[in-house]
Amino acid sequence: MLLRFGLNAEIVFNKDIAPEAANAVGAVVLEANELLFRRGVPAEVSENEVGRITDWSVSGNTLSIKIESGPYTRAHDAFLRFKKAVTPVMGKHRLGVRGIEVRNFSISMKGEIPKSAIPKLPMISDVTIEEDGIVLHLSLSLADLEKKLPDRLVKLVEEKIEAEAYGGKAEHWELLYESPKRPLHYDKNPSDELLKIGWAKHGASRGQWIFGPQAVELIRALETIAVEEIIKPLGYKEMIFPKLVPWDVWKQSGHAKGVYPEIYYVCAPKSRDPAYWEDVSDYYKVTGDVPVEMIRDRIEGPIGGMCYAQCPPFWPFVKGETLSNGCLPIKVFDRSGTSHRYESGGIHGIERVDEFHRIEVLWFGTIEQTVRTADLLHEAYTRIFDEVLELEWRCAKVTPWFMAQEGLVGVSDTSSVGTRDYEAILPYNGDWLEFQNVSVNGNKYPKGFNVKIQSGEECWSGCSGIGLERWTAAFLAQKGFDRSKWPESVLKLVGEPEDVFEFL
Amino acid sequence: MLLRFGLNAEIVFNKDIAPEAANAVGAVVLEANELLFRRGVPAEVSENEVGRITDWSVSGNTLSIKIESGPYTRAHDAFLRFKKAVTPVMGKHRLGVRGIEVRNFSISMKGEIPKSAIPKLPMISDVTIEEDGIVLHLSLSLADLEKKLPDRLVKLVEEKIEAEAYGGKAEHWELLYESPKRPLHYDKNPSDELLKIGWAKHGASRGQWIFGPQAVELIRALETIAVEEIIKPLGYKEMIFPKLVPWDVWKQSGHAKGVYPEIYYVCAPKSRDPAYWEDVSDYYKVTGDVPVEMIRDRIEGPIGGMCYAQCPPFWPFVKGETLSNGCLPIKVFDRSGTSHRYESGGIHGIERVDEFHRIEVLWFGTIEQTVRTADLLHEAYTRIFDEVLELEWRCAKVTPWFMAQEGLVGVSDTSSVGTRDYEAILPYNGDWLEFQNVSVNGNKYPKGFNVKIQSGEECWSGCSGIGLERWTAAFLAQKGFDRSKWPESVLKLVGEPEDVFEFL
């Protein structure tokens, strides 16, 4: 895509710019165009692709500057370089910068750009559609230039064009392993049966279950198999990861790029003074209705959301640290709370819920260690699903979850980065249920949280989410409720089912 | 407190009220004043304490009514009775009710009423302060009368007067048991040490910790002691209670009366269509800032909050049910996730946090069963704290937690209803830390969630929250980090501490 950037800005000084100071500006402009803006630009790049001050003038205390560029030393970058160069020169003339105003900033993009690729954002004040491309007119501050906002905007448009092109294509899915077929023991939807026999009931919120004692016995048995037969033997140590996730964590993990549609957002009270809340309490006591609008005025944020992906809130534990070679790969897991996703509507079984329990397995180290650790985990899962739980399942390489969550499809550029989905057949409807995954996330998290390795090698990480409701759904869908069909490994972990509740 | 209620209302019919219909109204008014409004009122109550239609008139299609009352058959109640009586009579004259407007509603309260006891609520349009009391002028709808809003308002003012009177008094606290003194092993703040040796770090959100492997080993050891030595031997079965709590649950549990200052509120997306969120994603991608205000416009609610008291979301499991005598007392527990409280500011140790882990123990049955179950639990705790964990602790009867959470002080009217707090001494500062509690909650939950017992006896419930961070804080504060000082019961559950992370 052919890119052109244009900028008009004014630098306002503390007093009028005398002629000799204006002459000094002229010299800085010349040097900038000839040397400063060429720095770091390959020699073969032609002049009109590089940032250039095409006009300047002084009037009273104000220096006006016009810069144009192609993709090299882009107008905003050129302006910042010029500002840095001109400031000390003007200082010699006792001129101090009082303010900087970016008057116009435009980005011209040539090429086929679908309308859907043009973002709707408050800093885009106008869009001109031309025969061979578009021009974006931006309202930007100096801080926006410093944050390289124009570059990010270009990248966003490029991403949108790519997403549009991918639009029709399916997500990547490539079979890696398929287990032997298993005899059919059960052909009903186990969630219906769970409800019927009272082992579980719907919770009061959307996509939420309350599990009774008999169901929990099975869920905990499966958890025990995961922990005692897979996770601990492979040397993973238990940690406790937080479950309220503030924006900072999602900014560093990348989730802030696109996770918004599925988040349960969390807001904090503006004050914990009971007097501040007295009329809300009073309103409820008098009307019996919770005054949601009154509450909205008294809460701040959202400050973040409820746990979504489980591993991001671990990373502040190692943020900014360098780890010794000897302690790698780090292998830890967490099973200390719930995850919450705003799933698409309707009431589903226990396999598709807004609130669920997951064991999150996490590791990191060198590239080789990270890939090897993922493979070992895959081998252990294979053994457990085939020999211990005796499931009918398969494993596929899919679009990495973090790409999917950022609205991307396809596969990663690096072949060993990616997600393996584990799917079990649900005999009652013939669908394959994704019941867990293993992902090698490349340098995504270590880079986002600035984690380094003593040796200087690149740090990679991986994670694997074991969904306990999904393991349970897969197990019950295939094995049913007749315990004589359950594998010995599970049977020995559950007692005789006992009806704790007897309803009339 | 002397109470007077006054009401003016208009009943609008579908056509003009003819003279013979007006005569019929007069007959209903007479009957209402003499018979209908006296119904259910003790004979000794004098006439002017009971609701009375003091004026009425017809004009066109409108019947205007004025009612005054003392505390018996209050004006709003009298109006509803009159409406019910007059409607069929008017029907005979082919007059149908088209609308009802409550023009004025006033409550006069005589007595000493501090200004702080007058609620600030939108339906209170004006307050007249008189020498011997106040008059509240209300804007109410028919639905408000049907919901008995005036009665609730009177009750609220009475509660506020009482709270004001209690204001200066301390919360109830009465020592029930004190353990033997223990030798001093450690005199530092264990949270400082946890940070220093890297066993735990602050999480990214307020009052939140990330626990490393060595800390989790101890936390899980204490959890195992609680579950294996106390909870399971006493016959409690594990369940999974939801962790996102919608308003409906807190309305029925009573928390909606006053828990607002401490809640982490949860909001759901208005849509999960990615297109609806595209500009939010784009804004973040371009600026690197999460656009909180844009998000606020796209979320609904709050729909409720994050788990606060842990047992309320259990109750929908038995809501509206009648339980057989044979299955009682029901004894269950949950340890499936985090609890969150917006605590007062500043950074505290692991004993005072916004996010924590708790085993919630819950039981219900007849009054006798519920009280007995609480006592058995107390005995088991006593044995474990004295003989197994060898703590220095005490137990006190305190203001019931649910009264405290509703802003009340003192003790329950019923002596066996109440909360026992368990406190451990923190040698480093001499404070007593409440590290768990046992509560008999009376009929609060069974009544709120409409749970009944086959025998027809009153159903009571109890709960006990075991705070794992607080157990750990109490244990480490008294025993320190030198394992030779740890009791055998804990030692055998933890391995040799292993440094998983080595930071340079």
Side-chain angles (χ1 to χ4, degrees):
Chain A
M1 187 161 49
L2 207 62
L3 288 173
R4 298 283 314 160
F5 299 84
L7 168 153
N8 286 329
E10 288 172 0
I11 305 179
V12 180
F13 293 91
N14 56 332
K15 56 178 187 175
D16 284 357
I17 302 164
E20 58 273 28
N23 286 343
V25 170
V28 176
V29 168
L30 268 179
E31 196 195 340
N33 281 345
E34 278 170 30
L35 294 172
L36 198 57
F37 298 163
R38 286 290 320 188
R39 242 176 240 159
V41 177
E44 68 274 15
V45 170
S46 76
E47 195 180 305
N48 78 333
E49 293 188 75
V50 185
R52 184 162 193 86
I53 296 173
T54 55
D55 199 8
W56 68 275
S57 62
V58 302
S59 167
N61 63 350
T62 301
L63 164 58
S64 300
I65 286 285
K66 183 176 182 187
I67 303 181
E68 289 175 46
S69 80
Y72 295 93
T73 313
R74 298 174 175 186
H76 49 290
D77 187 15
F79 178 71
L80 295 173
R81 291 192 197 183
F82 172 73
K83 177 180 87 85
K84 200 175 163 192
V86 85
T87 308
V89 172
M90 299 302 266
K92 286 183 193 146
H93 296 273
R94 303 192 173 274
L95 288 161
V97 176
R98 277 292 167 268
I100 290 176
E101 288 292 332
V102 184
R103 290 290 169 207
N104 292 298
F105 196 104
S106 65
I107 306 176
S108 156
M109 307 171 92
K110 305 284 180 207
E112 213 168 299
I113 299 162
K115 225 170 164 184
S116 61
I118 305 170
K120 282 161 210 69
L121 285 171
M123 69 289 283
I124 301 177
S125 50
D126 198 16
V127 181
T128 316
I129 312 275
E130 298 181 343
E131 219 168 276
D132 57 347
I134 58 168
V135 182
L136 303 179
H137 303 275
L138 309 182
S139 305
L140 299 181
S141 66
L142 179 65
D144 292 332
L145 303 189
E146 285 164 346
K147 285 200 297 188
K148 298 184 176 300
L149 194 145
D151 299 338
R152 299 195 203 197
L153 192 51
V154 168
K155 191 171 160 230
L156 176 64
V157 174
E158 286 168 349
E159 267 179 29
K160 283 177 180 285
I161 294 170
E162 199 179 337
E164 181 83 13
Y166 259 119
K169 297 184 192 170
E171 293 210 355
H172 185 79
W173 192 92
E174 179 191 339
L175 187 66
L176 297 179
Y177 173 84
E178 192 156 18
S179 79
K181 295 262 171 233
R182 298 285 179 183
L184 181 73
H185 291 309
Y186 191 69
D187 63 0
K188 299 196 185 69
N189 182 338
S191 298
D192 295 342
E193 184 71 9
L194 283 171
L195 275 169
K196 201 175 124 201
I197 61 180
W199 283 21
K201 295 194 180 187
H202 289 292
S205 190
R206 185 180 191 275
Q208 187 185 62
W209 290 76
I210 313 173
F211 290 104
Q214 306 97 327
V216 172
E217 202 167 38
L218 175 60
I219 293 169
R220 290 287 181 231
L222 296 175
E223 181 186 12
T224 300
I225 289 170
V227 171
E228 300 299 332
E229 306 267 344
I230 302 171
I231 297 172
K232 286 189 177 169
L234 288 173
Y236 292 84
K237 300 289 179 186
E238 187 171 2
M239 288 185 62
I240 290 179
F241 304 166
K243 294 287 170 280
L244 191 171
V245 188
W247 294 124
D248 257 2
V249 168
W250 279 334
K251 283 160 82 166
Q252 290 167 297
S253 73
H255 285 86
K257 285 185 197 158
V259 81
Y260 305 99
E262 291 191 350
I263 287 297
Y264 276 100
Y265 294 86
V266 175
C267 298
K270 282 185 188 163
S271 164
R272 76 186 295 285
D273 178 3
Y276 183 74
W277 290 94
E278 193 173 349
D279 53 347
V280 172
S281 287
D282 288 352
Y283 187 95
Y284 172 73
K285 286 177 186 168
V286 168
T287 65
D289 296 321
V290 173
V292 171
E293 289 305 319
M294 283 169 79
I295 294 172
R296 259 180 107 92
D297 290 340
R298 286 172 175 74
I299 58 180
E300 62 184 359
I303 58 172
M306 297 177 84
C307 173
Y308 177 83
Q310 203 157 337
C311 65
F314 155 78
W315 287 91
F317 195 82
V318 290
K319 182 179 166 182
E321 300 277 6
T322 301
L323 286 117
S324 79
N325 296 334
C327 74
L328 300 175
I330 295 287
K331 292 183 288 186
V332 295
F333 71 102
D334 168 76
R335 49 167 166 174
S336 68
T338 47
S339 294
H340 300 257
R341 295 186 176 195
Y342 191 77
E343 286 287 353
S344 49
I347 289 182
H348 300 282
I350 63 164
E351 76 284 358
R352 182 131 177 223
V353 285
D354 283 33
E355 175 170 336
F356 57 98
H357 301 78
R358 171 174 51 191
I359 308 174
E360 181 78 353
V361 182
L362 183 158
W363 61 98
F364 62 93
T366 64
I367 296 175
E368 196 194 340
Q369 285 169 335
T370 302
V371 173
R372 169 88 181 128
T373 303
D375 289 341
L376 287 173
L377 199 56
H378 171 70
E379 283 167 26
Y381 285 137
T382 303
R383 187 179 70 79
I384 295 300
F385 301 148
D386 277 350
E387 295 169 27
V388 175
L389 295 179
E390 300 166 11
L391 292 175
E392 186 171 332
W393 66 286
R394 65 187 188 186
C395 179
K397 180 168 183 168
V398 300
T399 300
W401 64 265
F402 50 87
M403 287 177 60
Q405 282 175 10
E406 290 169 19
L408 306 173
V409 290
V411 290
S412 163
D413 299 338
T414 312
S415 71
S416 48
V417 170
T419 292
R420 275 175 258 189
D421 271 358
Y422 294 72
E423 305 178 342
I425 189 84
L426 302 177
Y428 73 91
N429 64 5
D431 286 348
W432 289 90
L433 173 69
E434 183 208 327
F435 65 98
Q436 66 160 42
N437 61 44
V438 168
S439 291
V440 171
N441 302 324
N443 68 5
K444 181 178 176 64
Y445 288 127
K447 201 176 154 198
F449 291 90
N450 190 25
V451 178
K452 294 198 165 54
I453 291 181
Q454 182 181 19
S455 67
E457 285 174 86
E458 190 172 30
C459 185
W460 274 24
S461 78
C463 63
S464 172
I466 300 174
L468 292 180
E469 279 84 355
R470 295 214 168 169
W471 271 43
T472 305
F475 181 86
L476 285 174
Q478 292 190 16
K479 306 295 175 193
F481 291 79
D482 173 1
R483 293 188 177 210
S484 70
K485 300 291 187 291
W486 289 12
E488 188 54 39
S489 57
V490 175
L491 269 186
K492 73 180 181 200
L493 291 169
V494 297
E496 276 303 303
E498 197 186 320
D499 282 334
V500 174
F501 296 86
E502 278 172 39
F503 299 116
L504 295 192
Chain B
M1 188 160 50
L2 206 62
L3 288 174
R4 299 281 316 160
F5 299 84
L7 168 154
N8 285 344
E10 288 172 358
I11 306 179
V12 181
F13 292 91
N14 56 331
K15 55 177 189 176
D16 285 358
I17 302 163
E20 56 274 30
N23 287 342
V25 170
V28 176
V29 168
L30 269 179
E31 196 194 341
N33 281 345
E34 279 171 28
L35 293 173
L36 199 55
F37 297 163
R38 287 287 325 185
R39 244 176 238 159
V41 177
E44 68 275 17
V45 171
S46 77
E47 195 179 307
N48 77 334
E49 292 189 74
V50 185
R52 182 161 195 84
I53 296 173
T54 55
D55 198 9
W56 68 276
S57 62
V58 302
S59 165
N61 63 351
T62 301
L63 165 59
S64 301
I65 284 286
K66 184 176 180 183
I67 304 182
E68 290 175 48
S69 81
Y72 295 92
T73 313
R74 298 173 177 189
H76 48 292
D77 187 15
F79 177 72
L80 295 173
R81 291 192 198 183
F82 172 73
K83 178 179 87 85
K84 201 176 163 192
V86 84
T87 307
V89 172
M90 300 302 265
K92 287 184 193 149
H93 296 272
R94 302 189 175 275
L95 287 162
V97 176
R98 278 290 166 269
I100 289 176
E101 288 291 332
V102 184
R103 290 289 170 209
N104 292 297
F105 196 103
S106 65
I107 306 177
S108 156
M109 307 173 90
K110 306 282 181 208
E112 212 168 300
I113 299 162
K115 224 170 167 183
S116 61
I118 305 170
K120 282 161 210 71
L121 286 172
M123 68 288 283
I124 302 179
S125 50
D126 198 17
V127 181
T128 316
I129 312 275
E130 297 181 343
E131 219 169 276
D132 57 346
I134 58 169
V135 182
L136 303 180
H137 303 275
L138 309 182
S139 305
L140 299 181
S141 66
L142 178 65
D144 292 332
L145 302 190
E146 285 165 347
K147 286 201 294 188
K148 299 185 174 299
L149 195 145
D151 299 337
R152 299 195 203 199
L153 192 53
V154 168
K155 191 171 161 230
L156 176 65
V157 174
E158 286 168 348
E159 268 179 28
K160 283 176 182 286
I161 293 170
E162 198 179 338
E164 181 83 13
Y166 258 119
K169 297 186 193 169
E171 294 211 353
H172 185 79
W173 192 91
E174 178 192 340
L175 187 66
L176 297 179
Y177 174 84
E178 192 155 19
S179 80
K181 295 262 172 233
R182 298 285 178 181
L184 181 72
H185 291 311
Y186 191 69
D187 63 359
K188 299 196 186 69
N189 181 337
S191 298
D192 295 342
E193 185 70 9
L194 284 171
L195 275 169
K196 201 175 124 200
I197 61 180
W199 284 20
K201 295 194 180 187
H202 289 292
S205 191
R206 183 178 192 275
Q208 186 184 64
W209 291 77
I210 312 173
F211 290 105
Q214 306 97 328
V216 172
E217 203 167 36
L218 175 60
I219 293 170
R220 290 287 181 231
L222 296 175
E223 181 185 11
T224 301
I225 289 170
V227 171
E228 299 300 333
E229 307 266 344
I230 301 171
I231 298 172
K232 286 188 178 170
L234 287 173
Y236 292 85
K237 300 289 179 187
E238 187 171 2
M239 288 185 63
I240 290 179
F241 303 166
K243 294 287 169 281
L244 192 172
V245 188
W247 294 126
D248 257 3
V249 168
W250 278 334
K251 282 159 83 166
Q252 289 166 295
S253 73
H255 284 85
K257 285 186 197 155
V259 81
Y260 305 98
E262 291 191 350
I263 285 298
Y264 276 100
Y265 294 85
V266 176
C267 299
K270 282 185 187 163
S271 164
R272 77 185 295 283
D273 178 3
Y276 182 75
W277 289 94
E278 193 173 349
D279 53 348
V280 171
S281 285
D282 288 352
Y283 187 96
Y284 172 73
K285 286 177 185 168
V286 168
T287 65
D289 296 320
V290 173
V292 172
E293 289 306 318
M294 283 170 79
I295 294 172
R296 261 181 104 92
D297 290 341
R298 286 172 176 74
I299 58 180
E300 61 185 358
I303 58 172
M306 296 177 86
C307 172
Y308 177 84
Q310 202 155 338
C311 66
F314 155 79
W315 287 91
F317 195 82
V318 290
K319 183 179 166 182
E321 299 278 5
T322 301
L323 285 117
S324 80
N325 297 334
C327 73
L328 299 176
I330 295 287
K331 292 183 286 185
V332 295
F333 71 102
D334 169 76
R335 49 167 167 173
S336 68
T338 47
S339 295
H340 300 258
R341 294 186 176 195
Y342 191 79
E343 285 287 353
S344 50
I347 289 183
H348 300 283
I350 63 165
E351 75 284 358
R352 180 127 178 228
V353 285
D354 282 35
E355 174 169 338
F356 58 98
H357 301 78
R358 171 174 50 193
I359 308 174
E360 181 79 353
V361 182
L362 183 159
W363 61 99
F364 62 93
T366 63
I367 295 174
E368 195 192 343
Q369 286 169 334
T370 302
V371 172
R372 169 90 182 126
T373 303
D375 289 341
L376 287 174
L377 199 56
H378 171 71
E379 284 167 27
Y381 284 137
T382 302
R383 188 179 69 79
I384 295 298
F385 300 149
D386 277 350
E387 295 169 27
V388 175
L389 295 178
E390 300 167 12
L391 292 176
E392 186 170 332
W393 65 287
R394 66 185 187 187
C395 180
K397 180 166 184 169
V398 300
T399 301
W401 64 266
F402 48 88
M403 288 177 62
Q405 282 174 13
E406 289 169 19
L408 306 173
V409 289
V411 289
S412 163
D413 300 338
T414 312
S415 70
S416 48
V417 170
T419 292
R420 276 176 255 190
D421 271 357
Y422 294 72
E423 305 177 342
I425 189 84
L426 302 177
Y428 74 90
N429 64 5
D431 286 349
W432 289 90
L433 172 70
E434 182 207 326
F435 64 99
Q436 65 159 42
N437 61 44
V438 168
S439 292
V440 171
N441 303 323
N443 67 3
K444 180 178 176 63
Y445 288 127
K447 201 176 157 201
F449 290 90
N450 190 24
V451 178
K452 294 198 163 56
I453 291 181
Q454 180 181 21
S455 66
E457 285 175 85
E458 189 172 32
C459 183
W460 274 24
S461 78
C463 63
S464 172
I466 300 174
L468 292 180
E469 279 85 354
R470 295 216 168 167
W471 271 44
T472 305
F475 181 85
L476 285 175
Q478 292 190 15
K479 306 294 175 192
F481 291 80
D482 173 0
R483 294 190 177 210
S484 70
K485 301 291 188 291
W486 289 12
E488 188 53 39
S489 58
V490 176
L491 270 186
K492 72 180 182 200
L493 291 170
V494 298
E496 275 303 303
E498 197 186 318
D499 283 334
V500 173
F501 296 86
E502 277 172 39
F503 300 117
L504 294 191

